[in-house]
Amino acid sequence: MTKPLVLCILATLLLSGCSQKTARLLTDRGGNTVSVSGQINKIISTAPSSTEIIVDLGLADKLVAIDKYSLDIEGVKQDLPLIDFFFPDAEAIIGINPDIIISNGHNNLGAGDDPFKLIREAGIPVVYIPLSSGIDGICRDIEFVADMLNVSERGRELSLSMKTQIAEIAAVGRTIENKKTVYFEISPPPELVTIGQNTYLHEMITVIGCVNIFADQIGVIFPSAEAILERNPDVIITGLPERYTPSEEIKNREGFEHITAVRNNAIYRVDTNSASRPSARILFALKQMAKAVYPDKYEKF
């Protein structure tokens, strides 16, 4: 796209922005004040978790561009433009002329260069949803998106359904006396990745009646293999796709044959997308975890 054409589009967008009669101010989930139009019909989503929320709210038809990882979400049109949100192409996004861009944790507007600077200067509002540290935060994300897109009632229903189902699972979890210890592996060697407190995955481990072996740490952490051996989990849960045969790989690691989870063959895999995307669909991974670790307690789920 040539520079004159971009300037022309910018001018058009700015003029159209001046004509909006129903603009409203809102505070996004990152604490930024953003002016959005009253009617939002063209949405760009920068992360699959936001795309899932939009689809679950029944608004998939309003998506005009997505990130490449959102393509596998049922209900999303397969011919939508794909945007690289680590290095967003401002000209391409401005050319799409969306009513709103929903950015996420990996597009942090508050750190370093703002990847959406040109886009916001063109009059296109960008709202930010940082990674929530718990399940309540995910529910508030859902309600925020629903309110912004004028489907508040749907958002409250989705959030309430999620809370109700989690409360039922948590009620069972609280009855478990001899709680098993869990190591949740997000990434295998050479860079092991797991989670501590202030993460929704840690909360999910707690909800089903288990104890995270790294509960004394906070956020995303990078443990050594020795640390996992020392903490000797009863159960290992991995969110890696099956094609990587994660259970076999874990069993064959040097020294891991001494871990209780490996000796008892208590290594379980949960659905990668459901565990890694903070939307209402974490419920699927939560139920998988509960039924894998305590099959007799969660049989009805």
Side-chain angles (χ1 to χ4, degrees):
M1 186 178 291
T2 63
K3 186 174 181 180
L5 180 56
V6 172
L7 293 174
C8 180
I9 292 172
L10 283 171
T12 301
L13 291 170
L14 288 170
L15 287 172
S16 65
C18 292
S19 66
Q20 292 173 353
K21 297 179 180 178
T22 56
R24 53 199 163 115
L25 287 178
L26 57 83
T27 301
D28 71 13
R29 295 286 289 142
N32 307 293
T33 301
V34 183
S35 176
V36 300
S37 64
Q39 192 66 34
I40 297 175
N41 292 311
K42 298 169 68 177
I43 307 167
I44 290 182
S45 172
T46 73
S49 54
S50 294
T51 305
E52 287 182 347
I53 292 172
I54 292 165
V55 172
D56 290 344
L57 291 172
L59 301 175
D61 61 328
K62 292 184 182 293
L63 289 165
V64 293
I66 53 176
D67 68 290
K68 65 180 181 181
Y69 300 106
S70 290
L71 266 181
D72 63 0
I73 299 171
E74 187 175 353
V76 171
K77 296 176 184 174
Q78 297 300 293
D79 59 351
L80 290 177
L82 302 181
I83 306 293
D84 181 348
F85 289 104
F86 288 105
F87 305 98
D89 184 334
E91 291 183 3
I93 292 175
I94 291 169
I96 294 170
N97 190 20
D99 294 320
I100 193 79
I101 294 175
I102 303 177
S103 68
N104 287 74
H106 58 281
N107 312 128
N108 194 342
L109 300 177
D113 294 336
D114 178 0
F116 296 105
K117 184 174 184 293
L118 282 176
I119 297 164
R120 289 190 292 112
E121 288 176 353
I124 297 173
V126 180
V127 296
Y128 175 53
I129 301 179
L131 181 63
S132 288
S133 60
I135 294 171
D136 278 348
I138 296 174
C139 292
R140 290 197 295 273
D141 293 342
I142 293 170
E143 292 171 7
F144 165 76
V145 173
D147 290 343
M148 180 176 66
L149 302 181
N150 300 312
V151 288
S152 299
E153 186 61 28
R154 288 188 213 168
R156 284 193 291 272
E157 290 174 357
L158 181 59
S159 175
L160 179 60
S161 173
M162 182 178 171
K163 290 177 180 176
T164 301
Q165 293 181 67
I166 290 174
E168 291 174 354
I169 295 171
V172 176
R174 286 192 293 272
T175 69
I176 296 171
E177 295 181 354
N178 298 315
K179 298 182 185 300
K180 295 181 179 179
T181 58
V182 171
Y183 164 60
F184 193 108
E185 185 162 283
I186 295 173
S187 174
E191 188 169 60
L192 292 164
V193 179
T194 186
I195 38 81
Q197 290 188 45
N198 293 351
T199 63
Y200 69 87
L201 284 170
H202 167 81
E203 190 173 352
M204 288 164 66
I205 292 170
T206 303
V207 162
I208 66 170
C210 291
V211 176
N212 180 4
I213 63 169
F214 289 105
D216 59 333
Q217 300 187 36
I218 294 174
V220 176
I221 57 178
F222 304 88
S224 64
E226 291 73 20
I228 300 167
L229 284 164
E230 289 173 2
R231 297 182 185 223
N232 189 26
D234 298 318
V235 173
I236 295 176
I237 300 176
T238 171
L240 283 180
E242 184 59 43
R243 65 178 180 275
Y244 295 112
T245 60
S247 296
E248 292 304 311
E249 188 273 326
I250 289 170
K251 290 176 184 174
N252 292 323
R253 289 179 197 166
E254 183 177 357
F256 272 46
E257 68 272 18
H258 302 297
I259 293 178
T260 299
V262 176
R263 286 193 282 108
N264 293 337
N265 200 29
I267 304 173
Y268 308 112
R269 196 188 76 80
V270 294
D271 180 68
T272 306
N273 290 341
S274 302
S276 62
R277 299 173 176 179
S279 73
R281 304 186 189 192
I282 63 167
L283 271 168
F284 183 62
L286 184 68
K287 291 177 181 177
Q288 282 187 324
M289 290 165 59
K291 295 169 79 169
V293 179
Y294 299 116
D296 56 328
K297 300 288 186 182
Y298 291 102
E299 187 177 8
K300 73 172 185 178
F301 293 90

